[in-house]
Amino acid sequence: MNLSKISAGLRRDLALLEALRSLEAHRKGGLGVNRIAEMTGREKSQVSRALAGMKEEGLVDRDPTTLAYRCGWRLYALAASTLEARLTQSAAPFLQRLASELHETVYLCVLRDRNVVIASAVSARRGRSRGLWEGDTLPVIKTSSGRALVAEWDKGSIESLFCGGEAVHSIPFESFMSDVQYVRERGYSILHGEPSERFIGVSSPIKDYRNGIIACVMVVTENSTVSERVGAVARLTLRCATQISRSLGYAAVGRGRYGDASV
């Protein structure tokens, strides 16, 4: 096997993908074969064959009307899995510290198809999982984590969550919006009765270098009448989420505001 030949071919294919992720491709919604050949300095016929092969593998898509190529579903799937792996790895030491401080199980949650998915769960020595495990799916509407994850959505997008489903309509839209506003102002969500009346859910969003919410930290603690305990859980959860955000390249601005650890 000629490894140098394979390597050269791979570099040429990567050059095509780099062209498709350029600003020009983004603005135009894709690029034609001629323009990609121009940008990469290759023959049109070579580019056409290479793109046809990548299309078969899902690495690129082609618009049936304009015939323009753009990055395909498989690239986005690979990017998503890579980002999630880095997120989980970066978050692990901060989640472990929080779990040890609170003696609770701490969860890293992400949004998938408008559902909350537990990406990882870190248990303290005396902590309990509350019946939640990695891979479990939770309803956005009924969780503190859901409120944290959609905190940057506009009102119309959030309203679309309330279309259909009996369980959804048991929670007033305006009440949910008020909770989301609380996250925007305080940096965390507190929800009584999660996952049952005995508990309180506390969640804080995680941002990355693009300044967008990509995940959240969630803690489920005993429903106590001692407000100081809930306040402490909220502050420590916010601090944990902020530390993870900074490890991912997010630069928080403002003191005592959403995304800042100075609380």
Side-chain angles (χ1 to χ4, degrees):
M1 182 181 293
N2 191 331
L3 295 180
S4 62
K5 185 176 180 180
I6 292 174
S7 179
L10 179 59
R11 282 196 298 271
R12 288 195 295 269
D13 288 346
L14 287 174
L16 300 181
L17 295 174
E18 286 292 338
L20 291 177
R21 63 182 293 274
S22 66
L23 183 59
E24 179 182 346
H26 177 70
R27 286 174 175 170
K28 294 181 177 179
L31 297 173
V33 172
N34 288 339
R35 179 57 182 143
I36 297 172
E38 244 178 62
M39 293 173 70
T40 57
R42 295 176 59 185
E43 293 290 333
K44 176 185 173 181
S45 58
Q46 295 175 338
V47 170
S48 181
R49 285 195 297 272
L51 289 171
M54 285 192 281
K55 181 177 180 295
E56 289 297 318
E57 298 300 324
L59 295 175
V60 300
D61 291 328
R62 194 179 196 189
D63 190 294
T65 303
T66 66
L67 302 183
Y69 283 96
R70 50 182 173 258
C71 292
W73 65 268
R74 180 165 286 179
L75 276 182
Y76 290 112
L78 289 170
S81 61
T82 300
L83 177 61
E84 195 162 305
R86 184 193 170 203
L87 169 64
T88 303
Q89 184 176 25
S90 298
F94 302 109
L95 297 177
Q96 187 61 65
R97 176 184 172 187
L98 181 60
S100 298
E101 289 175 326
L102 296 177
H103 304 297
E104 301 281 5
T105 299
V106 177
Y107 304 93
L108 178 67
C109 303
V110 296
L111 197 62
R112 291 288 179 269
D113 297 325
R114 301 200 171 190
N115 289 307
V116 176
V117 176
I118 297 178
S120 66
V122 178
S123 299
R125 184 177 301 175
R126 297 196 301 273
R128 291 177 290 172
S129 69
R130 311 302 188 200
L132 301 175
W133 308 95
E134 292 180 4
D136 279 357
T137 301
L138 308 170
V140 169
I141 300 295
K142 304 180 79 171
T143 56
S144 61
S145 52
R147 286 155 172 75
L149 289 168
V150 304
E152 292 181 330
W153 287 22
D154 59 44
K155 186 174 181 179
S157 298
I158 293 175
E159 195 167 15
S160 69
L161 294 171
F162 285 75
C163 297
E166 294 180 8
V168 167
H169 296 297
S170 66
I171 298 170
F173 170 70
E174 292 304 327
S175 175
F176 187 86
M177 283 301 303
S178 177
D179 290 344
V180 168
Q181 184 60 34
Y182 188 91
V183 178
R184 293 169 180 171
E185 294 173 357
R186 302 292 185 90
Y188 54 82
S189 170
I190 299 176
L191 185 64
H192 293 257
E194 179 188 3
S196 69
E197 290 303 319
R198 290 181 52 214
F199 304 110
I200 295 176
V202 179
S203 297
S204 183
I206 296 170
K207 291 188 172 186
D208 67 359
Y209 66 95
R210 295 166 297 185
N211 195 34
I213 295 172
I214 61 169
C216 76
V217 177
M218 179 178 74
V219 178
V220 179
T221 189
E222 294 283 351
N223 190 348
S224 171
T225 56
V226 183
S227 59
E228 289 81 0
R229 164 67 177 172
V230 178
V233 170
R235 288 191 294 274
L236 291 174
T237 301
L238 171 58
R239 186 196 67 186
C240 178
T242 302
Q243 290 170 334
I244 297 170
S245 296
R246 287 174 174 165
S247 76
L248 297 171
Y250 171 66
V253 293
R255 180 173 179 81
R257 290 178 59 83
Y258 161 49
D260 187 69
S262 57
V263 292

